[in-house]
């Protein structure tokens, strides 16, 4: 089945019709309050509500959320016992009432004017979903390195929301400001997908004939994972679900998604060739020919080194060294997860970077 052209105009409700913000949260005590404050500070032309879907957190997230709801009547809480992001988003959307849905994330902070600009873009383009730039930032040297990887085309493959500059039709939208009527038409988020739910939702929006739009004037600050183990767990799970989406949708997935598993396969082949050469099981012309497998890895290391070094003065030496370590960590973890997901499916793979697998409900 070929992708349908984006030819249908999404409905444009009255500017003052209201906006519903939706956010799933799980173990976000360090980030939740700042994220909520950035939403409540938005200049919204009309009524607004903020529906937070609470997963079964094991930290003080629920207490913080209840305090914020008590302080501001615009904040409402709903339960998300399944803990998964798509389920939480659907719970929040179904509990909300306004015709425009703004997805927000506890690790993100909206910049001033974000919603007003998004509403103007939706009305001007008649798109069903619009998103902008994910501008990653960090506090520690490690988190800043992860942020640099996010913001670099080398890090996450150059998707428009990681640094695009030209407004226009898009494959997907980061977070997304969306028309409720279209979301209900396509059946909301697919609850069988635990990662990559945004890409899947926007793919189905495009399949239904509507436009997904990228506007680089929309900026969201994103705070990435702050430890190595959390980063690895996040990207193994993300890769596994991308592999699952490849199983479901095939080559409708962008070619950039296939780069990390290609790196993992090449690295594995290089290890095998090195072992055969070291034991003299591979000698002579055959060994020389097999050595060509090292060339793409050498080129990859050069690219990573230049990307980590940056231009001019740039970040300090510690940040550069962390970036040189973070980039291959992201690529290899994502690639390993992708291969597993593509071969056997993601199944019950869970992103445990925000919660221990032992804390998930049975």
């Amino acid at each position: 089945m070929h992708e349908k052209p984006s030819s249908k105009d999404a409905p444009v409700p009255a500017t003052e019709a209201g906006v519903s913000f939706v956010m799933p949260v799980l173990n976000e005590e360090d980030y939740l309050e700042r994220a909520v404050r950035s939403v409540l500070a938005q200049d919204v032309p009309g009524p607004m509500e903020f529906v937070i879907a609470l997963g079964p957190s094991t930290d003080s997230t629920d207490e913080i959320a209840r305090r914020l709801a008590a302080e501001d009547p615009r904040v409402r809480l709903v339960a998300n016992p399944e803990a998964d992001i798509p389920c939480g988003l659907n719970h929040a959307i179904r509990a909300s009432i306004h015709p425009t849905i703004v997805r927000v994330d506890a690790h993100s902070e909206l910049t001033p004017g974000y919603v007003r600009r998004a509403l103007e873009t939706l009305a001007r383009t008649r798109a069903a979903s619009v998103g902008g730039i994910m501008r990653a930032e960090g506090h520690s040297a490690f988190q800043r390195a992860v942020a640099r990887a996010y913001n670099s085309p080398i890090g996450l493959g150059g998707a428009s929301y990681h640094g695009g500059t030209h407004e226009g039709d898009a494959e997907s939208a980061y977070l997304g400001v969306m028309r409720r009527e279209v979301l209900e038409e396509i059946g909301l988020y697919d609850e069988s997908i635990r990662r990559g739910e945004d890409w899947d939702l926007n793919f189905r929006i495009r399949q239904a004939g509507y436009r997904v739009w990228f506007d680089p004037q929309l900026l969201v600050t994103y705070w990435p994972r702050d430890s190595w183990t959390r980063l690895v767990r996040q990207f193994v799970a993300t890769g596994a679900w991308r592999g699952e989406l490849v199983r479901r949708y095939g080559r409708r997935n962008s070619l950039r998604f296939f780069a990390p598993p290609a790196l993992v396969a090449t690295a594995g082949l290089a290890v095998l060739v090195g072992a055969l050469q070291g034991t003299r099981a591979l000698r002579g012309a055959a060994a020389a020919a097999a050595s060509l497998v090292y060339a793409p890895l050498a080129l990859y290391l050069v690219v990573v080194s230049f990307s980590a070094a940056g231009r001019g003065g740039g970040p300090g030496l510690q940040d550069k060294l962390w970036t040189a370590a973070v980039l291959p960590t992201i690529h290899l973890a994502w690639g390993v997860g992708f291969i597993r997901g593509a071969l056997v499916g993601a199944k019950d793979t869970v992103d445990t970077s925000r919660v221990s697998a032992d804390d998930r409900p049975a």
Side-chain angles (χ1 to χ4, degrees):
M1 180 174 62
H2 296 289
E3 187 173 317
K4 300 176 182 178
S6 301
S7 58
K8 293 166 64 176
D9 289 338
V12 180
T15 303
E16 299 77 18
V19 170
S20 296
F21 295 85
V22 297
M23 175 194 286
V25 296
L26 181 69
N27 288 336
E28 296 291 5
E29 63 181 5
D30 293 333
Y31 295 93
L32 178 60
E33 183 155 0
R34 288 183 60 173
V36 171
R37 299 292 184 199
S38 79
V39 169
L40 297 178
Q42 289 294 303
D43 176 22
V44 177
M48 66 168 283
E49 62 177 348
F50 190 175
V51 185
I52 301 175
L54 295 175
S57 294
T58 56
D59 62 7
S60 62
T61 294
D62 287 8
E63 289 77 7
I64 295 170
R66 284 194 288 268
R67 172 172 56 79
L68 293 170
E71 293 174 357
D72 195 313
R74 295 174 295 177
V75 179
R76 295 194 291 116
L77 309 178
V78 298
N80 177 27
E82 300 90 350
D84 294 322
I85 290 174
C87 295
L89 288 167
N90 285 347
H91 289 316
I93 292 170
R94 292 185 181 112
S96 66
I97 61 173
H98 296 307
T100 300
I101 304 295
V102 182
R103 177 183 173 177
V104 286
D105 182 84
H107 271 247
S108 299
E109 296 170 26
L110 304 184
T111 53
Y114 175 88
V115 172
R116 184 171 286 274
R117 169 75 187 195
L119 292 174
E120 292 171 353
T121 301
L122 278 172
R124 171 171 52 85
T125 63
R126 300 295 300 271
S129 173
V130 63
I133 297 286
M134 172 204 279
R135 184 177 62 191
E137 296 185 7
H139 297 297
S140 65
F142 178 83
Q143 195 178 42
R144 288 194 298 271
V146 179
R148 290 185 71 203
Y150 269 83
N151 296 334
S152 167
I154 302 301
L156 295 183
S160 59
Y161 59 84
H162 290 302
T165 58
H166 300 293
E167 184 177 9
D169 287 299
E171 176 186 10
S172 187
Y174 173 58
L175 296 181
V177 181
M178 302 161 284
R179 298 304 192 193
R180 173 190 295 276
E181 187 174 321
V182 175
L183 295 185
E184 292 176 344
E185 177 184 331
I186 66 170
L188 303 185
Y189 287 88
D190 185 339
E191 296 182 3
S192 72
I193 297 174
R194 288 175 168 169
R195 300 288 295 177
E197 70 283 344
D198 282 334
W199 183 92
D200 170 79
L201 181 82
N202 284 283
F203 174 81
R204 288 185 288 117
I205 287 173
R206 291 185 287 112
Q207 281 285 301
Y210 296 100
R211 281 179 290 281
V212 174
W213 197 261
F214 170 71
D215 183 352
Q217 297 301 311
L218 297 173
L219 297 176
V220 179
T221 298
Y222 174 77
W223 301 96
R225 301 299 186 270
D226 54 9
S227 77
W228 206 315
T229 54
R230 289 176 182 270
L231 184 71
V232 170
R233 294 202 302 267
Q234 176 192 12
F235 276 93
V236 167
T238 301
W241 281 103
R242 176 54 57 183
E244 173 67 32
L245 290 173
V246 166
R247 287 170 64 91
R248 297 189 187 194
Y249 294 120
R251 270 291 298 116
R252 295 182 181 90
N253 293 265
S254 172
L255 279 173
R256 70 176 185 275
F257 296 129
F258 295 85
L263 173 65
V264 170
T266 302
L269 183 59
V271 169
L272 176 61
V273 168
L276 292 175
Q277 290 174 331
T279 58
R280 306 289 292 173
L282 198 62
R283 294 180 292 177
S291 295
L292 292 174
V293 73
Y294 302 130
L297 294 178
L299 178 61
Y300 171 77
L301 292 176
V302 169
V303 171
V304 166
S305 298
F306 273 102
S307 180
R311 296 181 179 179
L317 178 60
Q318 185 181 27
D319 284 31
K320 293 178 180 179
L321 292 175
W322 270 121
T323 304
V326 161
L327 283 167
T329 297
I330 289 175
H331 295 155
L332 292 172
W334 203 97
V336 167
F338 180 99
I339 291 172
R340 173 190 168 190
L343 291 178
V344 300
K347 298 181 180 178
D348 293 327
T349 301
V350 175
D351 175 10
T352 60
S353 62
R354 298 184 188 180
V355 59
S356 168
D358 294 336
D359 291 331
R360 288 183 58 81

